[in-house]
Amino acid sequence: TQLLEQSPQFLSIQEGENLTVYCNSSSVFSSLQWYRQEPGEGPVLLVTVVTGGEVKKLKRLTFQFGDARKDSSLHITAAQPGDTGLYLCAGYAGGTSYGKLTFGQGTILTVHP
Amino acid sequence: DTGVSQDPRHKITKRGQNVTFRCDPISEHNRLYWYRQTLGQGPEFLTYFQNEAQLEKSRLLSDRFSAERPKGSFSTLEIQRTEQGDSAMYLCASSLAGSGYNEQFFGPGTRLTVL
């Protein structure tokens, strides 16, 4: 069974601060996706990383895939209240997994004005 | 059609009743997934369709759960004899086979409350 450990579980910061969320596994993933979810809504895809060592930037968000494709991180620069939400990492194992995603537990981010 | 839609958005039922949820995927997507999410957790995989074929079911999907995708378009998830432990958000996602990285796009979910 593949597991994704996401940390921290909760983050409460002030506007303008930087933060990093980590997603770790002992398993290799073909790709890893990051989602953001608002209360009462479904997850919204932010980015997919597929190559070991890959770095992708989305405005103030920087996503990195570990060299061994077992871990990933999300870094937010100068956080804003609009960044508040649940951040989820999800791994796709490929092969016979039929495309199902394995999700981490999520990180609840609160950015205070 | 700009995204995955789910109906209803909220369902409150009494223990022992049957409920059915519907999911309409992105029109050109041939893969469809159901996940369940409880408060404070990430979604957990329930089942997967490619076109009309149900190719995988999680052990989480007890005999009281059944899913169909009769024409390879919309899908339904039925829960029979609901229990309080079934209370959760039920999420549907779709993707396009062969698109490379199996990026999945989620609907808004159906929030089920079993009293």
Side-chain angles (χ1 to χ4, degrees), chain B residues 18-29:
Chain B
N18 298 343
V19 294
T20 300
F21 309 141
R22 176 179 169 126
C23 170
D24 287 88
I26 293 171
S27 56
E28 63 268 27
H29 285 183

Side-chain angles (χ1 to χ4, degrees), chain A residues 35 37 40 48 99-101, chain B residues 9 35 37 56 102-104 107:
Chain A
Y35 291 85
Q37 187 176 20
T48 299
K100 69 181 179 185
L101 296 176
Chain B
R9 293 293 308 275
Y35 292 82
Q37 185 178 26
E56 189 174 4
N102 198 45
E103 292 179 327
Q104 295 183 22

Side-chain angles (χ1 to χ4, degrees), chain A residues 11-19 76-81 83-84 109-113:
Chain A
L11 261 180
S12 179
I13 62 172
Q14 294 296 125
E15 182 176 2
E17 293 183 8
N18 302 334
L19 65 112
I76 301 179
T77 303
Q80 299 176 359
D83 296 327
T84 293
L109 171 64
T110 305
V111 182
H112 302 278

Side-chain angles (χ1 to χ4, degrees), chain A residues 6-11 21-22 85-87 105-109, chain B residues 39-41:
Chain A
Q6 199 170 331
S7 63
Q9 191 174 354
F10 300 97
L11 261 180
V21 178
Y22 299 93
L86 173 66
Y87 289 82
Q105 313 96 300
T107 295
I108 298 174
L109 171 64
Chain B
L39 207 58
Q41 299 296 319

Side-chain angles (χ1 to χ4, degrees), chain A residues 3-11 18-26 29 32-35 49 62-66 70-76 86-91 102-109:
Chain A
L3 294 174
L4 272 171
E5 296 288 334
Q6 199 170 331
S7 63
Q9 191 174 354
F10 300 97
L11 261 180
N18 302 334
L19 65 112
T20 303
V21 178
Y22 299 93
C23 186
N24 296 295
S25 176
S26 58
F29 289 100
L32 195 136
Q33 298 167 19
W34 284 91
Y35 291 85
V49 286
T62 302
F63 304 86
Q64 186 164 6
F65 204 12
K70 293 182 179 181
D71 56 88
S72 182
S73 64
L74 158 61
H75 182 79
I76 301 179
L86 173 66
Y87 289 82
L88 295 159
C89 63
T102 299
F103 280 85
Q105 313 96 300
T107 295
I108 298 174
L109 171 64

Side-chain angles (χ1 to χ4, degrees), chain B residues 19-23 32-35 45-49 51-58 61-71 74-80 90-92:
Chain B
V19 294
T20 300
F21 309 141
R22 176 179 169 126
C23 170
L32 186 146
Y33 306 82
W34 285 98
Y35 292 82
F45 170 78
L46 292 179
T47 191
Y48 155 71
F49 290 85
N51 301 312
E52 66 276 7
Q54 187 175 19
L55 297 184
E56 189 174 4
K57 292 168 58 174
S58 163
L61 216 63
S62 76
D63 292 344
R64 296 183 297 104
F65 288 70
S66 62
E68 294 183 342
R69 194 182 184 199
K71 297 182 180 179
F74 73 92
S75 175
T76 58
L77 177 68
E78 181 183 16
I79 309 174
Q80 297 182 327
Y90 289 85
L91 293 164
C92 175

Side-chain angles (χ1 to χ4, degrees), chain A residues 30 92-99:
Chain A
S30 294
Y92 168 52
T96 58
S97 69
Y98 292 114

